Amino acid sequence: MESMENLKRRAYDLRRDTLDIIMAGGGGHIGGDMSVMDTLIELYFNQMNISPENREDPDRDYFILSKGHAVEAYYAVLCARGFLDLEDVRARFSRFGSPYIGHPNNKLPGMEMNSGSLGHGLPVAVGLALGNRMSGRDSRTYVVMGDGELAEGSVWEGFMSGHMYGLDTLCAVIDRNRLQISGSTEDVMAQEKLADRVRSFGWHVVNVEDGNDLDALHAAFAEARETKGCPTCLIANTVKGKGSPVMENKAEWHHHVPTVEEYEHIVRDLDAGKEALLNV
Ligand SMILES: Cc1ncc(C[n+]2csc(CCOP(=O)(O)OP(=O)(O)O)c2C)c(N)n1
Ligand SMILES: [Mg+2]
């Protein structure tokens, strides 16, 4: 486990790596990368029993990035944890014939599931958690979804069956940034009373008021781990594009390659944020 101070610095460094991967590849879902970054950091550095050494061990924990379009953030975190090599990802991301494609690819070390077609991660996670229990393992299964993704009906089938089987080793995170591809989630497919709705499906729900706050995420995942008899869903209230006002809360930054000026501005903002942290 790494100190919280280090992890908070990493949140800036890994956003920078994500940005560089996108610039190098000439494409990427930057908004959703930045909103989910802190969840990925907390999971990979503090919560999950997964490492390059035990990635083939059936007793490890399991992770699915169901909002697979946020793969650039996933690459950055897997590089920092030693599963992948950052220079190689930057050199080959999105190139013809490269394994580093625009969505998770389970041929790569550390990636469990090909995702990108939204709505499938939770049902698969339910199956993994059920299978692990039947095999007598106490592995935990984590799945991260987008809030726009909740428009897919299969997500709600996953909520139903996760409860039905009492899968308390299963933890879902909803990256609640209130935007999807073309605008506000509330305009496209409203998700009001989300916590009540998930709770009504029999899940324990933790509302993480600031889902970009690593301390808050740490406490929420601890609560999930302690919850017995049913699965837990964290609703992480995040900011799409978190890290710089240039990209924050802007639907048009769902998929966007920054201009050189925008890139420099974002880097300045990330550096300033990290600097402020060091001076606390
Ligand atoms: C089944 C399916 N329909 C449509 C898309 C196209 N698509 C890609 S990202 C996206 C928006 C997702 O929004 P959200 O889940 O809120 O993701 P985030 O805001 O975290 O980027 C859509 C509709 C898709 N990938 N899969
Ligand atoms: Mg969203």
Side-chain angles (χ1 to χ4, degrees), residues 63-76:
F63 175 74
I64 293 172
L65 183 66
S66 191
K67 47 165 269 185
H69 55 282
V71 75
E72 299 84 16
Y74 197 11
Y75 285 138

Side-chain angles (χ1 to χ4, degrees), residues 32 67 69 116 118 146-149 152 177 179-181 240 254:
K67 47 165 269 185
H69 55 282
L118 296 165
D147 51 358
E149 179 174 3
E152 302 292 341
N177 57 31
L179 288 171
Q180 59 113 295
I181 196 168
K240 199 155 176 171
H254 174 78

Side-chain angles (χ1 to χ4, degrees), residues 19 22-23 30 246 253 256-267:
L19 187 63
I22 290 171
M23 296 300 283
I30 189 163
V246 173
W253 278 70
H256 177 75
V257 183
T259 62
V260 173
E261 291 74 33
E262 287 168 338
Y263 172 82
E264 287 170 354
H265 196 143
I266 295 167
V267 168

